[in-house]
Amino acid sequence: MRSALGLAVMLALVATPAQAQLTLPGVGDVFKKAKTVKKVHDALQSYPEPKEIELGRKLAAIVLGAAPLVDDPAKQRYVARLGIWLAQHSERPGLPWRFAIVQSDDFNAFSTPGGVVLINSGLFERMRSESELAGVLSHEIAHVVAKHHLKALRKQLDQAALSDLSQYGPSGPGGLTGTVTSAMLSAGKELFVRGFDKK
């Protein structure tokens, strides 16, 4: 696909898109996909904070559908209080931060765009001190502050747009933003299963 895109760019230098379509079969599709990639990339560059928060809540709902909250109000309050205190000292204190423990034996914690941070009970129960918990929560807060989720999703969507973004649903009333949000939810599910790139 990349070689086809490179060929299309070279043809664009010597011919108009209409001429290129007449010269080489399928070049019109390559131009359309290149335009889609650019539109998706531009839409994600300026992805508004309210949309980021909405996306994060939807992704958190998916996670909570698979791993329910731990039924222990005292532990939940403890994690929430510590998390909120830490988040208020971050570069994005105005996000509607949420912190909770989910029922899972896995040794893990994760966050979603917009400020939802979830820690697995398997990790929480192995904590030896509040400072260890603060370290884990701060790590997840840093992912949200630096928008690592959106960067990782942007990378996945750039690749998806090269193949075919239409698989995520038609551009309806939400237009490209609605399509991008659907694609991000799909890519987000994969991201949370796979985790961030270790870099």
Side-chain angles (χ1 to χ4, degrees), residues 10-55:
M10 286 174 35
L11 285 171
L13 296 174
V14 294
T16 65
Q19 291 169 324
Q21 287 176 33
L22 294 173
T23 311
L24 191 63
V27 171
D29 289 340
V30 173
F31 277 107
K32 285 180 188 173
K33 287 180 182 180
K35 284 182 182 179
T36 302
V37 169
K38 182 175 179 353
K39 285 180 183 176
V40 167
H41 193 77
D42 292 348
L44 288 175
Q45 285 291 92
S46 58
Y47 204 67
E49 191 171 276
K51 287 284 182 189
E52 178 189 355
I53 292 165
E54 177 187 351
L55 174 67

mmCIF file of all heavy atoms in Angstrom, residues 10-55:
data_model
loop_
_atom_site.group_PDB
_atom_site.id
_atom_site.type_symbol
_atom_site.label_atom_id
_atom_site.label_comp_id
_atom_site.label_asym_id
_atom_site.label_seq_id
_atom_site.Cartn_x
_atom_site.Cartn_y
_atom_site.Cartn_z
ATOM 1 N N MET A 10 4.121 10.449 -6.810
ATOM 2 C CA MET A 10 4.988 10.754 -7.957
ATOM 3 C C MET A 10 4.163 11.125 -9.180
ATOM 4 O O MET A 10 4.481 12.060 -9.906
ATOM 5 C CB MET A 10 5.891 9.556 -8.267
ATOM 6 C CG MET A 10 7.010 9.398 -7.251
ATOM 7 S SD MET A 10 8.028 7.930 -7.432
ATOM 8 C CE MET A 10 8.146 7.665 -9.153
ATOM 9 N N LEU A 11 3.077 10.381 -9.412
ATOM 10 C CA LEU A 11 2.206 10.692 -10.547
ATOM 11 C C LEU A 11 1.566 12.065 -10.394
ATOM 12 O O LEU A 11 1.357 12.775 -11.378
ATOM 13 C CB LEU A 11 1.120 9.631 -10.695
ATOM 14 C CG LEU A 11 1.578 8.288 -11.273
ATOM 15 C CD1 LEU A 11 0.454 7.266 -11.166
ATOM 16 C CD2 LEU A 11 2.014 8.442 -12.715
ATOM 17 N N ALA A 12 1.262 12.423 -9.153
ATOM 18 C CA ALA A 12 0.639 13.725 -8.906
ATOM 19 C C ALA A 12 1.572 14.862 -9.297
ATOM 20 O O ALA A 12 1.122 15.952 -9.652
ATOM 21 C CB ALA A 12 0.237 13.845 -7.447
ATOM 22 N N LEU A 13 2.865 14.623 -9.231
ATOM 23 C CA LEU A 13 3.820 15.657 -9.602
ATOM 24 C C LEU A 13 3.847 15.905 -11.107
ATOM 25 O O LEU A 13 4.186 16.987 -11.562
ATOM 26 C CB LEU A 13 5.230 15.280 -9.124
ATOM 27 C CG LEU A 13 5.404 15.182 -7.613
ATOM 28 C CD1 LEU A 13 6.803 14.662 -7.277
ATOM 29 C CD2 LEU A 13 5.179 16.536 -6.960
ATOM 30 N N VAL A 14 3.503 14.878 -11.881
ATOM 31 C CA VAL A 14 3.576 15.023 -13.349
ATOM 32 C C VAL A 14 2.214 15.030 -14.017
ATOM 33 O O VAL A 14 2.111 15.250 -15.200
ATOM 34 C CB VAL A 14 4.448 13.897 -13.959
ATOM 35 C CG1 VAL A 14 5.877 14.038 -13.509
ATOM 36 C CG2 VAL A 14 3.894 12.535 -13.645
ATOM 37 N N ALA A 15 1.155 14.737 -13.265
ATOM 38 C CA ALA A 15 -0.172 14.685 -13.879
ATOM 39 C C ALA A 15 -1.221 15.093 -12.865
ATOM 40 O O ALA A 15 -1.014 14.976 -11.669
ATOM 41 C CB ALA A 15 -0.459 13.254 -14.354
ATOM 42 N N THR A 16 -2.350 15.559 -13.354
ATOM 43 C CA THR A 16 -3.462 15.851 -12.454
ATOM 44 C C THR A 16 -4.065 14.527 -12.003
ATOM 45 O O THR A 16 -3.857 13.497 -12.659
ATOM 46 C CB THR A 16 -4.554 16.674 -13.184
ATOM 47 O OG1 THR A 16 -5.099 15.858 -14.215
ATOM 48 C CG2 THR A 16 -3.994 17.969 -13.735
ATOM 49 N N PRO A 17 -4.839 14.491 -10.919
ATOM 50 C CA PRO A 17 -5.459 13.237 -10.486
ATOM 51 C C PRO A 17 -6.297 12.595 -11.589
ATOM 52 O O PRO A 17 -6.286 11.387 -11.740
ATOM 53 C CB PRO A 17 -6.324 13.649 -9.294
ATOM 54 C CG PRO A 17 -5.622 14.847 -8.727
ATOM 55 C CD PRO A 17 -5.044 15.556 -9.931
ATOM 56 N N ALA A 18 -7.013 13.393 -12.369
ATOM 57 C CA ALA A 18 -7.838 12.833 -13.449
ATOM 58 C C ALA A 18 -6.961 12.159 -14.493
ATOM 59 O O ALA A 18 -7.267 11.067 -14.975
ATOM 60 C CB ALA A 18 -8.687 13.927 -14.093
ATOM 61 N N GLN A 19 -5.846 12.790 -14.856
ATOM 62 C CA GLN A 19 -4.935 12.182 -15.827
ATOM 63 C C GLN A 19 -4.324 10.913 -15.262
ATOM 64 O O GLN A 19 -4.169 9.925 -15.970
ATOM 65 C CB GLN A 19 -3.822 13.164 -16.202
ATOM 66 C CG GLN A 19 -4.311 14.347 -17.021
ATOM 67 C CD GLN A 19 -3.228 15.411 -17.124
ATOM 68 O OE1 GLN A 19 -2.476 15.624 -16.186
ATOM 69 N NE2 GLN A 19 -3.184 16.074 -18.268
ATOM 70 N N ALA A 20 -3.978 10.934 -13.990
ATOM 71 C CA ALA A 20 -3.366 9.763 -13.358
ATOM 72 C C ALA A 20 -4.342 8.596 -13.343
ATOM 73 O O ALA A 20 -3.947 7.456 -13.557
ATOM 74 C CB ALA A 20 -2.932 10.098 -11.941
ATOM 75 N N GLN A 21 -5.634 8.879 -13.138
ATOM 76 C CA GLN A 21 -6.624 7.822 -13.122
ATOM 77 C C GLN A 21 -6.722 7.159 -14.491
ATOM 78 O O GLN A 21 -6.942 5.968 -14.600
ATOM 79 C CB GLN A 21 -7.987 8.374 -12.715
ATOM 80 C CG GLN A 21 -8.064 8.711 -11.235
ATOM 81 C CD GLN A 21 -9.390 9.338 -10.876
ATOM 82 O OE1 GLN A 21 -10.408 9.008 -11.457
ATOM 83 N NE2 GLN A 21 -9.367 10.241 -9.910
ATOM 84 N N LEU A 22 -6.571 7.959 -15.550
ATOM 85 C CA LEU A 22 -6.624 7.404 -16.887
ATOM 86 C C LEU A 22 -5.369 6.594 -17.206
ATOM 87 O O LEU A 22 -5.403 5.645 -17.968
ATOM 88 C CB LEU A 22 -6.777 8.530 -17.928
ATOM 89 C CG LEU A 22 -8.103 9.296 -17.876
ATOM 90 C CD1 LEU A 22 -8.064 10.489 -18.823
ATOM 91 C CD2 LEU A 22 -9.256 8.372 -18.239
ATOM 92 N N THR A 23 -4.258 6.982 -16.613
ATOM 93 C CA THR A 23 -2.984 6.354 -16.918
ATOM 94 C C THR A 23 -2.797 5.027 -16.194
ATOM 95 O O THR A 23 -2.276 4.080 -16.752
ATOM 96 C CB THR A 23 -1.821 7.297 -16.506
ATOM 97 O OG1 THR A 23 -2.092 8.579 -17.031
ATOM 98 C CG2 THR A 23 -0.510 6.801 -17.038
ATOM 99 N N LEU A 24 -3.205 4.946 -14.930
ATOM 100 C CA LEU A 24 -2.927 3.772 -14.112
ATOM 101 C C LEU A 24 -4.186 3.353 -13.366
ATOM 102 O O LEU A 24 -4.742 4.139 -12.606
ATOM 103 C CB LEU A 24 -1.813 4.105 -13.114
ATOM 104 C CG LEU A 24 -1.188 2.965 -12.348
ATOM 105 C CD1 LEU A 24 -0.486 1.999 -13.299
ATOM 106 C CD2 LEU A 24 -0.172 3.505 -11.364
ATOM 107 N N PRO A 25 -4.669 2.118 -13.563
ATOM 108 C CA PRO A 25 -5.888 1.673 -12.868
ATOM 109 C C PRO A 25 -5.698 1.683 -11.354
ATOM 110 O O PRO A 25 -4.643 1.331 -10.858
ATOM 111 C CB PRO A 25 -6.078 0.229 -13.369
ATOM 112 C CG PRO A 25 -5.162 0.051 -14.520
ATOM 113 C CD PRO A 25 -4.096 1.095 -14.425
ATOM 114 N N GLY A 26 -6.725 2.114 -10.629
ATOM 115 C CA GLY A 26 -6.693 2.079 -9.179
ATOM 116 C C GLY A 26 -6.055 3.286 -8.523
ATOM 117 O O GLY A 26 -6.076 3.417 -7.317
ATOM 118 N N VAL A 27 -5.473 4.197 -9.307
ATOM 119 C CA VAL A 27 -4.811 5.359 -8.719
ATOM 120 C C VAL A 27 -5.832 6.284 -8.065
ATOM 121 O O VAL A 27 -5.550 6.881 -7.025
ATOM 122 C CB VAL A 27 -3.952 6.105 -9.765
ATOM 123 C CG1 VAL A 27 -3.444 7.416 -9.207
ATOM 124 C CG2 VAL A 27 -2.800 5.233 -10.207
ATOM 125 N N GLY A 28 -7.019 6.350 -8.620
ATOM 126 C CA GLY A 28 -8.067 7.176 -8.015
ATOM 127 C C GLY A 28 -8.358 6.741 -6.589
ATOM 128 O O GLY A 28 -8.533 7.574 -5.700
ATOM 129 N N ASP A 29 -8.381 5.413 -6.362
ATOM 130 C CA ASP A 29 -8.600 4.893 -5.010
ATOM 131 C C ASP A 29 -7.469 5.300 -4.081
ATOM 132 O O ASP A 29 -7.687 5.619 -2.919
ATOM 133 C CB ASP A 29 -8.711 3.366 -5.029
ATOM 134 C CG ASP A 29 -10.009 2.894 -5.657
ATOM 135 O OD1 ASP A 29 -10.963 3.707 -5.730
ATOM 136 O OD2 ASP A 29 -10.063 1.729 -6.078
ATOM 137 N N VAL A 30 -6.240 5.270 -4.599
ATOM 138 C CA VAL A 30 -5.085 5.642 -3.781
ATOM 139 C C VAL A 30 -5.192 7.106 -3.370
ATOM 140 O O VAL A 30 -4.931 7.464 -2.223
ATOM 141 C CB VAL A 30 -3.760 5.368 -4.531
ATOM 142 C CG1 VAL A 30 -2.578 5.915 -3.758
ATOM 143 C CG2 VAL A 30 -3.593 3.878 -4.765
ATOM 144 N N PHE A 31 -5.595 7.971 -4.314
ATOM 145 C CA PHE A 31 -5.767 9.392 -3.989
ATOM 146 C C PHE A 31 -6.843 9.570 -2.931
ATOM 147 O O PHE A 31 -6.685 10.352 -1.997
ATOM 148 C CB PHE A 31 -6.116 10.212 -5.240
ATOM 149 C CG PHE A 31 -4.929 10.599 -6.053
ATOM 150 C CD1 PHE A 31 -4.684 9.981 -7.273
ATOM 151 C CD2 PHE A 31 -4.032 11.563 -5.615
ATOM 152 C CE1 PHE A 31 -3.582 10.327 -8.026
ATOM 153 C CE2 PHE A 31 -2.933 11.909 -6.359
ATOM 154 C CZ PHE A 31 -2.694 11.290 -7.582
ATOM 155 N N LYS A 32 -7.956 8.833 -3.062
ATOM 156 C CA LYS A 32 -9.030 8.933 -2.073
ATOM 157 C C LYS A 32 -8.536 8.511 -0.687
ATOM 158 O O LYS A 32 -8.823 9.156 0.304
ATOM 159 C CB LYS A 32 -10.223 8.055 -2.485
ATOM 160 C CG LYS A 32 -11.045 8.621 -3.614
ATOM 161 C CD LYS A 32 -12.187 7.691 -3.940
ATOM 162 C CE LYS A 32 -12.908 8.137 -5.187
ATOM 163 N NZ LYS A 32 -13.923 7.170 -5.624
ATOM 164 N N LYS A 33 -7.790 7.412 -0.642
ATOM 165 C CA LYS A 33 -7.285 6.923 0.640
ATOM 166 C C LYS A 33 -6.279 7.901 1.236
ATOM 167 O O LYS A 33 -6.276 8.130 2.442
ATOM 168 C CB LYS A 33 -6.676 5.535 0.478
ATOM 169 C CG LYS A 33 -7.743 4.478 0.276
ATOM 170 C CD LYS A 33 -7.152 3.101 0.120
ATOM 171 C CE LYS A 33 -8.286 2.104 -0.121
ATOM 172 N NZ LYS A 33 -7.805 0.750 -0.276
ATOM 173 N N ALA A 34 -5.446 8.484 0.399
ATOM 174 C CA ALA A 34 -4.479 9.472 0.890
ATOM 175 C C ALA A 34 -5.205 10.675 1.481
ATOM 176 O O ALA A 34 -4.819 11.190 2.536
ATOM 177 C CB ALA A 34 -3.550 9.902 -0.235
ATOM 178 N N LYS A 35 -6.278 11.109 0.816
ATOM 179 C CA LYS A 35 -7.072 12.229 1.340
ATOM 180 C C LYS A 35 -7.728 11.844 2.666
ATOM 181 O O LYS A 35 -7.794 12.651 3.595
ATOM 182 C CB LYS A 35 -8.150 12.646 0.331
ATOM 183 C CG LYS A 35 -7.620 13.438 -0.841
ATOM 184 C CD LYS A 35 -8.763 13.839 -1.765
ATOM 185 C CE LYS A 35 -8.242 14.588 -2.972
ATOM 186 N NZ LYS A 35 -9.336 14.961 -3.892
ATOM 187 N N THR A 36 -8.223 10.604 2.753
ATOM 188 C CA THR A 36 -8.849 10.133 3.988
ATOM 189 C C THR A 36 -7.839 10.122 5.128
ATOM 190 O O THR A 36 -8.136 10.553 6.240
ATOM 191 C CB THR A 36 -9.451 8.722 3.801
ATOM 192 O OG1 THR A 36 -10.395 8.770 2.740
ATOM 193 C CG2 THR A 36 -10.134 8.242 5.074
ATOM 194 N N VAL A 37 -6.621 9.617 4.849
ATOM 195 C CA VAL A 37 -5.570 9.602 5.876
ATOM 196 C C VAL A 37 -5.320 11.012 6.379
ATOM 197 O O VAL A 37 -5.226 11.251 7.580
ATOM 198 C CB VAL A 37 -4.260 8.979 5.329
ATOM 199 C CG1 VAL A 37 -3.113 9.201 6.295
ATOM 200 C CG2 VAL A 37 -4.453 7.498 5.084
ATOM 201 N N LYS A 38 -5.209 11.972 5.457
ATOM 202 C CA LYS A 38 -4.946 13.355 5.857
ATOM 203 C C LYS A 38 -6.094 13.909 6.694
ATOM 204 O O LYS A 38 -5.868 14.558 7.711
ATOM 205 C CB LYS A 38 -4.708 14.238 4.631
ATOM 206 C CG LYS A 38 -4.374 15.678 5.036
ATOM 207 C CD LYS A 38 -4.020 16.524 3.868
ATOM 208 C CE LYS A 38 -3.708 17.960 4.203
ATOM 209 N NZ LYS A 38 -3.904 18.450 5.532
ATOM 210 N N LYS A 39 -7.331 13.653 6.265
ATOM 211 C CA LYS A 39 -8.487 14.152 7.021
ATOM 212 C C LYS A 39 -8.526 13.557 8.426
ATOM 213 O O LYS A 39 -8.797 14.247 9.404
ATOM 214 C CB LYS A 39 -9.789 13.820 6.290
ATOM 215 C CG LYS A 39 -10.058 14.694 5.089
ATOM 216 C CD LYS A 39 -11.363 14.295 4.432
ATOM 217 C CE LYS A 39 -11.636 15.096 3.179
ATOM 218 N NZ LYS A 39 -12.861 14.643 2.492
ATOM 219 N N VAL A 40 -8.278 12.231 8.519
ATOM 220 C CA VAL A 40 -8.282 11.566 9.831
ATOM 221 C C VAL A 40 -7.182 12.145 10.698
ATOM 222 O O VAL A 40 -7.394 12.474 11.869
ATOM 223 C CB VAL A 40 -8.107 10.041 9.666
ATOM 224 C CG1 VAL A 40 -7.800 9.373 11.003
ATOM 225 C CG2 VAL A 40 -9.361 9.428 9.058
ATOM 226 N N HIS A 41 -5.997 12.292 10.125
ATOM 227 C CA HIS A 41 -4.864 12.818 10.886
ATOM 228 C C HIS A 41 -5.174 14.234 11.380
ATOM 229 O O HIS A 41 -4.944 14.557 12.542
ATOM 230 C CB HIS A 41 -3.608 12.810 10.016
ATOM 231 C CG HIS A 41 -2.362 13.032 10.795
ATOM 232 N ND1 HIS A 41 -1.783 12.051 11.566
ATOM 233 C CD2 HIS A 41 -1.598 14.131 10.952
ATOM 234 C CE1 HIS A 41 -0.716 12.533 12.149
ATOM 235 N NE2 HIS A 41 -0.577 13.793 11.800
ATOM 236 N N ASP A 42 -5.724 15.080 10.496
ATOM 237 C CA ASP A 42 -6.079 16.448 10.886
ATOM 238 C C ASP A 42 -7.156 16.460 11.975
ATOM 239 O O ASP A 42 -7.093 17.258 12.911
ATOM 240 C CB ASP A 42 -6.562 17.255 9.673
ATOM 241 C CG ASP A 42 -5.441 17.532 8.678
ATOM 242 O OD1 ASP A 42 -4.255 17.313 9.020
ATOM 243 O OD2 ASP A 42 -5.755 17.952 7.547
ATOM 244 N N ALA A 43 -8.135 15.553 11.847
ATOM 245 C CA ALA A 43 -9.213 15.495 12.844
ATOM 246 C C ALA A 43 -8.656 15.107 14.212
ATOM 247 O O ALA A 43 -9.101 15.609 15.239
ATOM 248 C CB ALA A 43 -10.285 14.492 12.414
ATOM 249 N N LEU A 44 -7.671 14.212 14.235
ATOM 250 C CA LEU A 44 -7.102 13.780 15.505
ATOM 251 C C LEU A 44 -6.118 14.785 16.075
ATOM 252 O O LEU A 44 -5.934 14.850 17.283
ATOM 253 C CB LEU A 44 -6.418 12.423 15.345
ATOM 254 C CG LEU A 44 -7.374 11.252 15.161
ATOM 255 C CD1 LEU A 44 -6.600 9.983 14.880
ATOM 256 C CD2 LEU A 44 -8.249 11.074 16.374
ATOM 257 N N GLN A 45 -5.488 15.567 15.211
ATOM 258 C CA GLN A 45 -4.552 16.590 15.692
ATOM 259 C C GLN A 45 -5.281 17.586 16.589
ATOM 260 O O GLN A 45 -4.739 18.067 17.560
ATOM 261 C CB GLN A 45 -3.915 17.348 14.516
ATOM 262 C CG GLN A 45 -2.852 16.567 13.780
ATOM 263 C CD GLN A 45 -1.617 16.365 14.614
ATOM 264 O OE1 GLN A 45 -1.478 15.382 15.309
ATOM 265 N NE2 GLN A 45 -0.708 17.297 14.554
ATOM 266 N N SER A 46 -6.511 17.901 16.205
ATOM 267 C CA SER A 46 -7.276 18.893 16.963
ATOM 268 C C SER A 46 -8.465 18.231 17.657
ATOM 269 O O SER A 46 -9.523 18.824 17.773
ATOM 270 C CB SER A 46 -7.757 19.994 16.020
ATOM 271 O OG SER A 46 -8.547 19.440 14.987
ATOM 272 N N TYR A 47 -8.291 16.981 18.086
ATOM 273 C CA TYR A 47 -9.379 16.259 18.745
ATOM 274 C C TYR A 47 -9.757 17.008 20.017
ATOM 275 O O TYR A 47 -8.946 17.131 20.936
ATOM 276 C CB TYR A 47 -8.923 14.835 19.065
ATOM 277 C CG TYR A 47 -10.057 13.850 19.214
ATOM 278 C CD1 TYR A 47 -10.847 13.493 18.126
ATOM 279 C CD2 TYR A 47 -10.331 13.264 20.433
ATOM 280 C CE1 TYR A 47 -11.878 12.589 18.254
ATOM 281 C CE2 TYR A 47 -11.359 12.352 20.579
ATOM 282 C CZ TYR A 47 -12.125 12.018 19.485
ATOM 283 O OH TYR A 47 -13.157 11.118 19.617
ATOM 284 N N PRO A 48 -10.970 17.535 20.098
ATOM 285 C CA PRO A 48 -11.344 18.399 21.231
ATOM 286 C C PRO A 48 -11.438 17.621 22.551
ATOM 287 O O PRO A 48 -11.775 16.440 22.572
ATOM 288 C CB PRO A 48 -12.704 18.958 20.813
ATOM 289 C CG PRO A 48 -13.222 18.029 19.790
ATOM 290 C CD PRO A 48 -12.051 17.360 19.134
ATOM 291 N N GLU A 49 -11.136 18.316 23.633
ATOM 292 C CA GLU A 49 -11.140 17.684 24.956
ATOM 293 C C GLU A 49 -12.489 17.054 25.313
ATOM 294 O O GLU A 49 -12.509 15.938 25.851
ATOM 295 C CB GLU A 49 -10.724 18.697 26.021
ATOM 296 C CG GLU A 49 -10.440 18.045 27.359
ATOM 297 C CD GLU A 49 -9.828 19.014 28.344
ATOM 298 O OE1 GLU A 49 -8.601 19.201 28.295
ATOM 299 O OE2 GLU A 49 -10.583 19.585 29.157
ATOM 300 N N PRO A 50 -13.640 17.699 25.008
ATOM 301 C CA PRO A 50 -14.912 17.030 25.321
ATOM 302 C C PRO A 50 -15.053 15.684 24.612
ATOM 303 O O PRO A 50 -15.575 14.728 25.177
ATOM 304 C CB PRO A 50 -15.977 18.030 24.845
ATOM 305 C CG PRO A 50 -15.295 19.353 24.901
ATOM 306 C CD PRO A 50 -13.860 19.087 24.541
ATOM 307 N N LYS A 51 -14.564 15.595 23.374
ATOM 308 C CA LYS A 51 -14.615 14.326 22.631
ATOM 309 C C LYS A 51 -13.662 13.309 23.260
ATOM 310 O O LYS A 51 -13.962 12.122 23.322
ATOM 311 C CB LYS A 51 -14.249 14.542 21.159
ATOM 312 C CG LYS A 51 -15.313 15.240 20.367
ATOM 313 C CD LYS A 51 -16.422 14.266 20.067
ATOM 314 C CE LYS A 51 -17.491 14.910 19.220
ATOM 315 N NZ LYS A 51 -18.667 14.040 19.091
ATOM 316 N N GLU A 52 -12.506 13.779 23.703
ATOM 317 C CA GLU A 52 -11.539 12.900 24.378
ATOM 318 C C GLU A 52 -12.179 12.297 25.635
ATOM 319 O O GLU A 52 -12.066 11.093 25.891
ATOM 320 C CB GLU A 52 -10.293 13.701 24.747
ATOM 321 C CG GLU A 52 -9.241 12.915 25.480
ATOM 322 C CD GLU A 52 -8.109 13.781 26.022
ATOM 323 O OE1 GLU A 52 -8.077 15.007 25.758
ATOM 324 O OE2 GLU A 52 -7.252 13.222 26.725
ATOM 325 N N ILE A 53 -12.867 13.129 26.410
ATOM 326 C CA ILE A 53 -13.526 12.677 27.642
ATOM 327 C C ILE A 53 -14.625 11.666 27.311
ATOM 328 O O ILE A 53 -14.732 10.610 27.950
ATOM 329 C CB ILE A 53 -14.089 13.884 28.422
ATOM 330 C CG1 ILE A 53 -12.931 14.741 28.951
ATOM 331 C CG2 ILE A 53 -15.008 13.428 29.552
ATOM 332 C CD1 ILE A 53 -13.337 16.129 29.415
ATOM 333 N N GLU A 54 -15.420 11.979 26.294
ATOM 334 C CA GLU A 54 -16.504 11.077 25.877
ATOM 335 C C GLU A 54 -15.933 9.728 25.424
ATOM 336 O O GLU A 54 -16.439 8.660 25.806
ATOM 337 C CB GLU A 54 -17.296 11.731 24.741
ATOM 338 C CG GLU A 54 -18.405 10.871 24.183
ATOM 339 C CD GLU A 54 -19.062 11.497 22.952
ATOM 340 O OE1 GLU A 54 -18.788 12.667 22.630
ATOM 341 O OE2 GLU A 54 -19.831 10.781 22.298
ATOM 342 N N LEU A 55 -14.879 9.764 24.624
ATOM 343 C CA LEU A 55 -14.235 8.540 24.150
ATOM 344 C C LEU A 55 -13.727 7.715 25.332
ATOM 345 O O LEU A 55 -13.927 6.500 25.393
ATOM 346 C CB LEU A 55 -13.076 8.882 23.205
ATOM 347 C CG LEU A 55 -12.228 7.715 22.739
ATOM 348 C CD1 LEU A 55 -13.032 6.779 21.840
ATOM 349 C CD2 LEU A 55 -10.986 8.214 22.006
#
